[in-house]
Amino acid sequence: MNPPLRALAVLAASALAMTACAPGSSAPPAATSAQPSASSVRTDAAALGNVTLTIWDQEVRGGQAAQMKQLNDAFQAKYPNIKINRVSRSFDDLNTTLRLALSGNEPPDIVEANNGRSSMGAFVKAGQLRPLDAYAEAYGWKKRYPQSVLRYSSYSADGKTFGDGNLYGLPQVGEVVGVFYNKAKLAKLGLQQPATWADFDAALAKAKTAGEVPMQLGNLDKWPAIHVFGTVQSRGVPADQISALAFGRKGASWNTPENTKAAEELVGWVDKGYFNKGFNGQGYDPAWQAFGKGEGVFLIGGTWLLADLQKALGKDLGFMLPPGTAAGAPPVATGGTGLPFAITAKSPNPDAAAAYIDFITNADAMKVLTTTGNLPVADTAQQSVPAGPQQDVFTAFGTVTAKDGLVPYLDYATPTFADTLGAALQDLLAKKQTPQEFLATLEKDYKTFVESNG
Amino acid sequence: MSGGRPPGEPRRVAYLYLLPAFAVYAVFLLYPIGRAVQLSLYDWDGLSLGRWVGLDNYLAIVADEGLRAAFGHALVLVVFYAAAPLAIGLGLAAILNHAKVRGLGFFRTVVFLPQVVAMVVVAVAWRRVYAPDGTLNTLLGALGLDSLTRGWLGDYTFALPAVGVVGTWFESGLVTVLLLAGMSRIPGELYEAARLDGAGAVREFFAVTLPSVRGEIAVALTLTVIAALRTFDLVYVTTRGGPGDSTSVPSYEVYHRAFGLSQIGSAAAIGVTLTVVIFVISFGINRFADRRVS
């Protein structure tokens, strides 16, 4: 045999030898049966002895990092027996490494796991996260958090049902997708903040006639149009239908007249020239930065843009929930939470871990979050913030959560839906697909998943 | 004559000397490759127990229209990464070498410069160039060609060529410098002889220069074709495979499936297929170059 052939033979032989055992662990740790009752939970963290908690978070930027450091310091000061070993990584890095870390023998005690099916759902399915219901009862978390928020980190024990079942994590911050607007430009156009969806459409039309860019969109990164579509969709499609679709539940369908109307309305916006030119080739960041520089009257975006936009536009920046079809209609908006903090099934110190999660999400913590420029997910109405865009955002989030009007991000639906929906929306907006073809693409992914999910 | 044994230690002992190197090679290369081959035969999400699916993941590559398209896009990129830079490189190198340009070192540095910059930085910079309000459109506007302006990376027709042009820009310098080195080794007498035979500059190029740098061309093609087929960073940063799926390539699909969709088996199958394709193509290029030389 010549050397390359020999190498191939060795390779083939070793590959065959290894196919004997399947990858992955066969038996998930029996976390569900080990769930303690509320009475057996020890909530006195000071009495837990010397413990070290390893915590993986993704709070690396500005105000996020500041609140985390402040809360960690306060926790250490209060409970000197518990040592915090903080590992902080960017969102992308955490997402790509968490899977490996959790399948190891000594995973971190607490991790920030993305809510969706491909992260938290998969971890629950593999039995790697601990259900927190006993702790929720002991600490009163279900009173602290609105139900529309808690469901974002709830799964059935087998990981198949999202939005219902056991509680697997608690988030610190809230997010809602609404409409940012440029107050100065609205005033120049002689317009008020639109009170209804029809007003909003009229404002877009008037901005177009006046030669302004009515709405900024940067859709090069594939996902940004998801938020715009979600906003249009939640005007016409009932909230419970959107929730069923977005949580990947059985029984809903994309092929409905309401969804068709939403897709048609979005295409209509393209036809009427409501978006900036070349939006499919514009990056997400350049788009909102352009809005910050005063190009464009409206921007559909999430509250996470507040700090940067406020820096750029100051008092000219306004934020509102997407207006309803009628003036007094209950608010519905796409939104959710920051990444929830979850306890791993293999953690030897679940009581200490739960005490930590309680500490960074209690009423005092929410105040810390506010002062460091974040949007706290609970007690939002109790926070005092200066009048202006930040107050607009707090009011909007408080209103929509109080009335359980948050609908989930559409890309939660299936593990592949972010990609399917993002690509399909690029196709729709570029008129490569008709609204019917667009919805058929979504329906196919959704149905395939729902059927295999059982 | 004591048997036919060659002098020195027996063969079996000689292999022992190779063992340490082989062990390192096996641990860091053969084992991971074998493991990837193994994973490609399973349906595995990276967490729970994998399910044996045999060759299904490979069949999916053939059956899945999107994946077939990804391999097709990689082949289009080969034109931009390898063929175009080779044409440009041959031209540039011939001119630089022939004309004995003053400050040759300076020009050589300039054309090689893109290679020094990390691909991610290159991609970020070109993203700005192609943006709707970017340099390219500004330039077109200034030339009165407003009708041509567009969001280049978001345009279904132009996104893939736009990505490809970045590759051309990136690889041309490398090819030029490689060929320039080859050309500088051609003995001057050959050119003199050609000139005495009445050859012009063009004839000279095809009769003397081109055959002499065949080895360098093979090296350049091997490097650039591999770079084209495994393109990842450029697509990841500029378009994420969009708009729609019009710029997705196999390497991007490997990453996307393994880390985005948690379809580890499928990702491994694409990776293995890509490895085989790259191996076959670069093997072919070198075979071709060797045969022609000897």
Side-chain angles (χ1 to χ4, degrees), chain A residues 11 18-19 21-25 96 99 122-123 128 220-222 277-278 280-283 286 415 419 426-427 430 432, chain B residues 30-31 34-35 38-39 42 44-45 47 49-50 127-128 132 149 153-154 156 238 240 242-245 256 259 261-262:
Chain A
L11 211 139
M18 281 181 301
T19 48
C21 55
S25 61
T96 44
R99 192 166 276 268
F123 302 152
Q128 282 162 346
L220 180 58
D221 306 83
K222 268 189 177 180
K277 198 184 169 211
N280 257 349
Q282 176 72 291
D419 201 49
Q426 283 184 333
D427 287 341
K432 290 270 160 186
Chain B
L30 293 182
Y31 174 73
R35 182 85 176 144
Q38 181 208 359
L39 289 180
Y42 282 87
W44 187 42
D45 65 359
L47 285 169
L49 188 67
R127 204 172 133 136
R128 302 298 290 194
T149 60
L153 294 170
Y156 281 75
T238 53
R240 299 231 161 194
D245 288 320
H256 181 58
F259 294 105
L261 307 179
S262 308

Side-chain angles (χ1 to χ4, degrees), chain A residues 22-253:
Chain A
S25 61
S26 53
T32 8
S33 57
Q35 185 169 1
S37 66
S39 54
S40 70
V41 164
R42 289 179 296 165
T43 52
D44 184 7
L48 290 173
N50 284 330
V51 169
T52 300
L53 285 179
T54 301
I55 299 159
W56 282 25
D57 68 52
Q58 53 105 33
E59 311 295 317
V60 288
R61 279 185 300 175
Q64 297 175 329
Q67 58 92 359
M68 205 73 234
K69 187 171 181 314
Q70 212 171 319
L71 289 173
N72 280 350
D73 289 348
F75 185 77
Q76 297 261 258
K78 190 167 177 197
Y79 304 110
N81 58 319
I82 301 178
K83 200 173 156 282
I84 290 176
N85 173 22
R86 181 181 176 206
V87 181
S88 198
R89 305 192 164 170
S90 77
F91 173 76
D92 279 336
D93 289 346
L94 188 79
N95 252 352
T96 44
T97 50
L98 200 50
R99 192 166 276 268
L100 275 174
L102 283 177
S103 49
N105 283 328
E106 285 181 32
D109 297 281
I110 297 174
V111 297
E112 252 189 303
N114 204 357
N115 315 55
R117 286 182 180 277
S118 54
S119 303
M120 191 178 241
F123 302 152
V124 170
K125 198 185 228 167
Q128 282 162 346
L129 295 182
R130 186 178 289 267
L132 303 179
D133 299 85
Y135 296 108
E137 202 179 313
Y139 286 107
W141 289 342
K142 290 189 179 169
K143 272 178 246 135
R144 184 182 297 169
Y145 285 81
Q147 176 56 28
S148 67
V149 164
L150 280 178
R151 63 183 183 154
Y152 286 100
S153 37
S154 296
Y155 277 91
S156 62
D158 58 6
K160 283 185 174 176
T161 309
F162 183 13
D164 212 353
N166 298 329
L167 181 69
Y168 284 96
L170 279 193
Q172 282 186 301
V173 296
E175 294 171 357
V176 60
V177 176
V179 182
F180 286 101
Y181 58 94
N182 189 320
K183 283 182 181 165
K185 289 206 182 267
L186 268 195
K188 217 170 110 200
L189 293 168
L191 292 169
Q192 300 286 318
Q193 172 184 322
T196 66
W197 192 244
D199 286 355
F200 182 53
D201 197 65
L204 288 168
K206 188 151 189 195
K208 179 68 192 174
T209 338
E212 296 279 354
V213 174
M215 186 181 293
Q216 277 288 351
L217 171 65
N219 199 30
L220 180 58
D221 306 83
K222 268 189 177 180
W223 57 266
I226 295 177
H227 296 161
V228 181
F229 177 66
T231 300
V232 177
Q233 185 202 26
S234 50
R235 293 316 99 213
V237 184
D240 56 335
Q241 271 185 40
I242 299 178
S243 294
L245 286 170
F247 281 133
R249 298 279 177 74
K250 263 196 177 131
S253 169

Side-chain angles (χ1 to χ4, degrees), chain B residues 187-197 204:
Chain B
E189 297 85 53
L190 282 182
Y191 287 110
E192 275 167 34
R195 233 163 283 155
L196 283 177
D197 287 344
E204 214 175 88

Side-chain angles (χ1 to χ4, degrees), chain B residues 153-274:
Chain B
L153 294 170
D155 189 287
Y156 281 75
T157 316
F158 289 101
L160 188 60
V163 170
V165 165
V166 181
T168 308
W169 177 82
F170 187 78
E171 300 291 354
S172 289
L174 173 77
V175 176
T176 307
V177 170
L178 267 174
L179 293 175
L180 207 50
M183 287 178 191
S184 67
R185 274 206 310 274
I186 302 174
E189 297 85 53
L190 282 182
Y191 287 110
E192 275 167 34
R195 233 163 283 155
L196 283 177
D197 287 344
V202 176
R203 185 72 190 277
E204 214 175 88
F205 174 77
F206 283 105
V208 180
T209 314
L210 200 55
S212 311
V213 293
R214 186 173 288 133
E216 280 78 8
I217 290 178
V219 172
L221 275 183
T222 310
L223 289 176
T224 51
V225 167
I226 291 176
L229 291 174
R230 56 163 203 176
T231 304
F232 167 74
D233 27 19
L234 190 56
V235 167
Y236 179 78
V237 176
T238 53
T239 63
R240 299 231 161 194
D245 288 320
S246 56
T247 58
S248 73
V249 288
S251 299
Y252 178 72
E253 284 296 323
V254 172
Y255 167 82
H256 181 58
R257 277 164 197 253
F259 294 105
L261 307 179
S262 308
Q263 299 171 352
I264 314 273
S266 171
I270 301 170
V272 170
T273 310
L274 185 61

